[in-house]
Amino acid sequence: MSIAGKNLRINGERLWDSLMDMAAIGPGVAGGNNRQTVTDEDAEGRALFQKWCEAAGCTMGLDQMGNMFATRPGTDATALPVYVGSHLDTQPTGGKYDGILGVLGGLELIRTLNDLDIKTKHPIVVTNFTNEEGTRFAPAMLSSGVFAGLHTQDWAYARTDAEGKTFGDELKRIGWRGDEETGARKMHAFFELHIEQGPILEAENKEIGVVTHGQGLSWTQITVIGKDSHTGSTPMPMRKNAGLAMSRILEKVDEIAWSHAPHAVGAAGHIDVYPNSRNVIPGKVVFTVDFRSPSLDVILDMETRLRAEATKIADDMGMEIAFEKVGGFDPVSFDETCVAAVRNAAESLGYSHMNLISGAGHDACWVNRVAPTAMVMCPCVDGLSHNEAEEISPQWAAAGADVLLHAVLETAQVVG
Ligand code: HGY
Ligand code: MN
Ligand code: MN
């Protein structure tokens, strides 16, 4: 245990106040948030975060993907920094804590060290990764993916939203495209605090999830071409109903996921129907199948069966079909030393805890490719997330941030 000792805790009230202040930016329609990536609301949230970081004595760096890096100096300027952070962008019907807890929990760590004038050998950097959600611009974790070398920056800049706007143009338009080369920064370690976004911790009555692994993700975008025609006057035998083909394919998605119970999951959250008119048979549908599993073999099996089953359905119905892999990453094993630092922190602070596999994807899943990485999770009410009703307790938020603080202090080495 560092000099910090068991009594060193973050200021839970201050953290909660900051979460609520950030939640006021880009409000949703049902109590959550709609602060989608590289929108004006995102820009406003970034400005508030920067103001807070500078008030806490940090200097802000900004790379060409808009990733923000607030640095608190260490006593050894040559030591690689310990990074913490997550994302400030939200789903269109997002919650107040998904991503935001990790960024503001990192800021609260800095504020607490300042309060007590605790110095660390390694600098500490609080990070906001751009476009973690991948909703407006697929794929998810776009900028941490460029940072970790999984995507080229040009490819990322060219990603388009439903209105045909490009990510690069929108990042520039909101004024948050920096000069730093993306990925040039080297990390001693990276820790991400995040809500679980699932029901396990609450059901097991545990305050902390020690995340040992993250399940893998696969996004396949499917386009089915039928023929739009009148819903009233087109005889049933003459129809080429792309919507019907999609529904049969989605039945197969569910069947494939269930065939790998209990861990695999599958669904389509993105569905565009054309022309989406009440009295026109859909001539075209575009939808994205999201498969996940802790096992890469299972993911590959689900992808293969999806293509075979969907192709058969389209052929039998006389329709064209196309597939495009628009996102994905293999299952992740986090760094054992960093995971142990998280577990040690939970134990020494007396928080109930358990090992956990992350069901959701996170920036940490990509950063893990380039630096020793681990995650700290806290429960969320009913495991609900990606829903405006997402909720956590101030106690859970504080416990997560306390564990983040102590895991970082163990890694950044307290001086004096
Ligand atoms: O899709 C995910 O798992 C993450 O929440 N973006
Ligand atoms: Mn998230
Ligand atoms: Mn999310």
Side-chain angles (χ1 to χ4, degrees), residues 291-319:
F291 276 135
R292 313 230 185 165
S293 166
S295 154
L296 182 56
D297 289 344
V298 168
I299 289 174
L300 295 173
D301 175 64
M302 294 197 286
E303 286 180 334
T304 306
R305 285 165 60 188
L306 169 65
R307 286 177 181 245
E309 299 276 7
T311 301
K312 183 172 183 318
I313 288 167
D315 290 350
D316 291 352
M317 297 176 77
M319 295 187 203

Side-chain angles (χ1 to χ4, degrees), residues 87 91 98 132-133 194 197 361 385-386:
H87 62 92
Q91 288 282 333
D98 168 4
E132 188 281 340
E133 293 295 357
H194 207 287
Q197 300 184 288
S385 182
H386 286 194

Side-chain angles (χ1 to χ4, degrees), residues 14 59 83 104 204-205 220 277 285 289 311 314 318-319 352 365 411:
R14 180 172 56 193
T59 49
Y83 284 68
L104 300 188
E204 299 292 331
N205 197 23
T220 302
S277 165
V285 290
V289 174
T311 301
M319 295 187 203
S352 57
C365 297
T411 309

